[in-house]
Amino acid sequence: MLIINLDDSQCQRTLAQLLRNASNSRVIMQGLATELETMTTDNFENEAFGGQAWVRKAFGNGKTLTKTGELKDSVTSSASSTTATIGTNMIYARIHHFGGTITPKQKSHLVFATPNGFAKVKSVTLPARPFLPVSSDGQLQSDGDRRLIEVALSALTSGT
């Protein structure tokens, strides 16, 4: 006769810990918000949206979207028990993230400095250079799902 006894006490303790960790969703959301901010930093460093390269700036040295670093530095994240949020309060962030055309509001032309002097134009069209990890149609950047799932699983198993 063969008798096998299984002790599920470790399994019970692990499941109980998972339930305790899952009940504190703020920890999970904070981890997700922090990872979203890390993904944004990676985008600035790599000049890409999840690996898809941004259109390079038309002129000047240095990295695209980082002339002063002000836009990158303005990105913040926050979390509650139900949300993970990332964003910036810079007024020009929208046009850089989504792209679009800039036209003068009160004058007939836009005037700006170029390497060859000043340019006077009726409008300027900027390409989208998504720096936040979510596209204009609400899609998470490539590899974003995996990264956020890893953070959530870590928070569930460790509680931090």
Side-chain angles (χ1 to χ4, degrees):
M1 170 188 262
L2 175 63
I3 299 174
I4 299 174
N5 290 318
L6 297 176
D7 180 2
D8 71 345
S9 59
Q10 179 60 42
C11 181
Q12 292 290 337
R13 284 191 297 276
T14 301
L15 287 174
Q17 183 63 47
L18 283 172
L19 287 172
R20 281 192 300 277
N21 293 346
S23 68
N24 185 5
S25 59
R26 183 170 176 72
V27 171
I28 296 170
M29 291 298 167
Q30 184 58 55
L32 294 176
T34 300
E35 185 61 23
L36 289 170
E37 197 166 342
T38 299
M39 290 161 65
T40 301
T41 299
D42 292 348
N43 288 344
F44 275 102
E45 290 299 316
N46 299 319
E47 299 180 81
F49 176 71
Q52 183 178 352
W54 294 336
V55 174
R56 295 284 303 158
K57 61 184 178 176
F59 49 84
N61 295 326
K63 290 189 169 194
T64 303
L65 295 188
T66 57
K67 183 176 182 178
T68 65
E70 191 174 36
L71 179 59
K72 179 182 171 184
D73 293 343
S74 73
V75 175
T76 60
S77 64
S78 63
S80 71
S81 61
T82 58
T83 61
T85 305
I86 187 161
T88 172
N89 63 354
M90 301 306 290
I91 196 161
Y92 57 85
R94 182 177 184 80
I95 192 77
H96 286 298
H97 188 77
F98 297 115
T101 301
I102 301 171
T103 56
K105 291 185 179 183
Q106 298 176 352
K107 305 272 182 176
S108 63
H109 290 82
L110 298 168
V111 178
F112 56 92
T114 72
N116 300 322
F118 286 90
K120 182 178 177 183
V121 296
K122 291 199 176 265
S123 66
V124 173
T125 300
L126 296 177
R129 293 181 178 110
F131 54 91
L132 297 173
V134 180
S135 68
S136 60
D137 60 353
Q139 297 299 309
L140 200 56
Q141 70 183 41
S142 173
D143 203 35
D145 290 342
R146 181 195 58 77
R147 290 174 68 168
L148 293 180
I149 287 169
E150 285 178 4
V151 168
L153 287 174
S154 176
L156 282 172
T157 57
S158 70
T160 59

